[in-house]
Amino acid sequence: MQTQYKNLGWNALFVLILVALGGLVFLSGKKIDYNWNWQRVVPYIVNNQASAVTAPEDGNIVSNAEGDLALESLAGDVLVDLSEYEDLLVYEGDLIFEGDRLASLEEWRIGPLTEGLIVTIKISLWSLLFAIVLGLIIGLMRISSNPAVKKLSIAYVELIRGTPLLVQIFIVYFFIGTVFDLERFVAGVIALSLFTAAYVAEIVRAGIQSIPKGQMEAARSLGMSYPKAMIYVILPQAFKRTLPPLAGQFINLIKDSSLVSVISITDLTKAGREVVSGSFAPFEVWFTVALLYLLLTSSLSWAIQRLEKRLSASD
C-alpha cells in the first residue's frame, strides 16, 4: 500500500511538471502579446472544404430522360455527368465556357502538413533500408583481415562522420545529382543513407566485437564456414546487443530528414514553412510540426521496444 501511495505521488509530480511547462508556454505567449489560433492549423492537416468542378471545354447544359443534368460539348458529346453532384451551380440550357464552375464537391482531403508528413515517412523508410544494408557491409569490412578493405571502410566512416550532413546533402544533390541526373527525392535518400550508414557501421562493428571469440571458434569447429558462422551465430547475437543504439540512430535519421528541405523536397519541415507564410500562425504550425515528428519517433521507439521484449523472451 505504501508503495502505491509513493508511486501515486511521483505520478502526480510528473503531471504537475507537465502542467507547469504548459503554463510557461501560455504565459510566454501572453508576454509577447500573441493570440493563439489553433483552428487555423486544422485545415492544413485535414479539411473538407468544397472544391470546384469546372468545365473542360465549351458546351451546353442539357438534361436526359431521367431529368439529370450533364455538360454536352458543341459537337453533342457528354463531357461531364452532373448527376453525381449535389451542389450544382448551373441550370438546363446554360451556355458554358471552358473553366466555368459547374458544381461544388465536398470531400475530405489531406492538407499540406499531412502530405509533408507522408514524404518524411517515405524518405525516412527508404534511407533506413539502404542505411542498414550499407552499414552492415561497411561494419563487416571494418573487422576484415584485409588491410585494403579495412582501411577503405575506416576512411569512409571518418569522412562521413567528420563532415556535416547539410554539406553532404549539397554535395550529393548539386554534384552527384547533376552528374547522374538524379531527382531531389533520390538525392535526399542517398545523402541520408550514406550519412546514417557510417554510424550503423560503427554500431555493427562494436556489436560483433562484443561477442566472445569463442563463439566463432566453436562454430568453425563444427564445420561452419566463416560467412555461415557470421550469419547464423555471430550476427543474431550482435543484433540483440546493438538494437538500442540502432534505435537511437534511426530516430536521429527521422529528425535529420528535415534537412532535405534545403534542396526543395517538400517534407514536413518545408511544408511547415510554407504553411506559416499562408496561415500567419507560426507558433501553432511549428508546435504542430514538432508533435508530428514526435509521433513518428515515438512510434519507432515503441516498435523497437516491442521487438526488444520479444527477442529477450526468446533467449
Side-chain angles (χ1 to χ4, degrees), residues 68-108:
D68 296 325
L69 298 182
L71 174 63
E72 189 178 82
S73 68
L74 300 179
D77 300 324
V78 175
L79 300 174
V80 180
D81 184 6
L82 299 176
S83 60
E84 57 186 89
Y85 303 110
E86 296 182 359
D87 299 327
L88 298 180
L89 305 176
V90 294
Y91 301 93
E92 183 180 359
D94 287 349
L95 177 62
I96 301 299
F97 297 97
E98 182 180 352
D100 286 351
R101 298 181 61 183
L102 305 175
S104 295
L105 177 62
E106 289 190 1
E107 57 181 357
W108 287 99

Side-chain angles (χ1 to χ4, degrees), residues 53-177:
V53 179
T54 59
E57 59 181 83
D58 299 347
N60 299 293
I61 301 298
V62 298
S63 63
N64 55 22
E66 289 77 17
D68 296 325
L69 298 182
L71 174 63
E72 189 178 82
S73 68
L74 300 179
D77 300 324
V78 175
L79 300 174
V80 180
D81 184 6
L82 299 176
S83 60
E84 57 186 89
Y85 303 110
E86 296 182 359
D87 299 327
L88 298 180
L89 305 176
V90 294
Y91 301 93
E92 183 180 359
D94 287 349
L95 177 62
I96 301 299
F97 297 97
E98 182 180 352
D100 286 351
R101 298 181 61 183
L102 305 175
S104 295
L105 177 62
E106 289 190 1
E107 57 181 357
W108 287 99
R109 299 184 301 277
I110 60 176
L113 286 179
T114 306
E115 292 176 354
L117 177 64
I118 293 173
V119 172
T120 294
I121 293 174
K122 287 181 179 179
I123 199 169
S124 298
L125 287 177
W126 280 111
S127 301
L128 177 61
L129 175 63
F130 290 121
I132 291 174
V133 175
L134 184 59
L136 179 60
I137 295 173
I138 300 298
L140 292 175
M141 291 171 60
R142 286 280 281 114
I143 61 174
S144 173
S145 59
N146 188 314
V149 172
K150 185 174 183 178
K151 290 181 179 179
L152 186 63
S153 64
I154 293 175
Y156 169 81
V157 170
E158 294 301 324
L159 176 64
I160 296 299
R161 295 202 306 176
T163 54
L165 174 57
L166 185 61
V167 175
Q168 296 174 24
I169 292 175
F170 284 139
I171 292 175
V172 171
Y173 178 64
F174 290 109
F175 181 70
I176 300 177

Side-chain angles (χ1 to χ4, degrees), residues 16-38:
L16 183 62
I17 292 174
L18 292 182
V19 172
L21 290 175
L24 286 176
V25 173
F26 177 77
L27 292 176
S28 299
K30 288 292 186 181
K31 186 174 182 180
I32 61 177
D33 195 23
Y34 186 80
N35 295 320
W36 297 92
N37 296 286
W38 290 101

Side-chain angles (χ1 to χ4, degrees), residues 7 51 64 169 211:
N7 290 335
S51 59
N64 55 22
I169 292 175
I211 305 300

